[in-house]
Amino acid sequence: MENKIPRHIAIIMDGNGRWARERGLPRAAGHRAGVKTVREIVKASLDLGVPVLTLYAFSQENWKRPKEEVSLLMELLDYFLNKEIDRLKKEGVRVRTIGRIEALPERTLKKVKAAMEATRHNDKLILNVALNYGARTEILDAVNQIVEKARAGGVPGMNGSGLTEEVFSNYLYTKGLPDPDLLIRTSGEMRLSNFLLWQLSYAEIYITKKYWPDFAREDYLKAIREYQRRDRRFGDICAEDAAGR
Ligand code: FPP
């Protein structure tokens, strides 16, 4: 398993609501069960030596959900950070976020910032939580920063032939992180849902029908094993053909 561990795994955690409905439970129960899965997958990532794990916890579009559900999701994030912060700190996890976090409720924002601060020297696993995240907004935020810099006199790193991918990437929320090698989506949906549109360009995609609360360590290992079997070509020809080149 040590072989070719993805440097960055991104996960669209989906299916909490359906998991609950199928059990005749309120949606809240699904989200609570989803937090348990988050804990398990963080632990598994540490055990496997995955350097970066990005979790899509709350999208910009999620504000459209009923007020009570939005509040619950914020509370669950508070609860997770309260309960886990000491362990995260001890185990070498660094909490980071992507998204416009300033729009989060004040209490949650404070908790998130405290978690980032408390873990900022850790480097075993970066737990990157997408909160109020939207990929198109991320790209526009980058473009607008660049435009502003250009107006103010110049964009560092930009030469006569324009911007490079590397320079542009430095304006994204994921600055400094490698692009995801593997994207996992639970609950069988075949969508990107405005997630990491730039960064997922070459990611391997793994979709499982399992709902997020049912997604266990074994399923995570299965996804990584499948990734390890894939022949990543990045536009080149396959390995067998290349051998005969
Ligand atoms: C998708 O299920 C799940 C979410 C939108 C929220 C995920 C959030 C958590 C698991 C809790 C807090 C996060 C952390 C990092 C502690 P859905 O509600 O869209 O499911 P459905 O499509 O079946 O309705």
Side-chain angles (χ1 to χ4, degrees), residues 13-18 27 31 34-35 57 62 65 73 77 80:
M13 310 181 285
D14 198 8
N16 294 350
R18 277 160 287 168
R27 292 178 58 81
H31 293 313
V35 175
N62 285 152
R65 294 187 177 205
L73 287 169
L77 185 67
F80 174 81

Side-chain angles (χ1 to χ4, degrees), residues 13-19 21 27 30-31 33-35 38 55-59 62 65 69 73 76-77 80-81 127 129 131 187 189 211-212:
M13 310 181 285
D14 198 8
N16 294 350
R18 277 160 287 168
W19 181 92
R21 192 182 334 118
R27 292 178 58 81
H31 293 313
V35 175
V38 169
L55 299 177
Y56 205 178
F58 195 85
S59 73
N62 285 152
R65 294 187 177 205
E69 183 165 338
L73 287 169
L76 286 176
L77 185 67
F80 174 81
L81 291 174
L127 174 59
V129 190
L131 293 168
S187 94
E189 306 297 346
Y211 296 143
W212 179 247

Side-chain angles (χ1 to χ4, degrees), residues 101 105 124 165:
I101 60 167
K124 194 151 178 244
E165 290 186 8

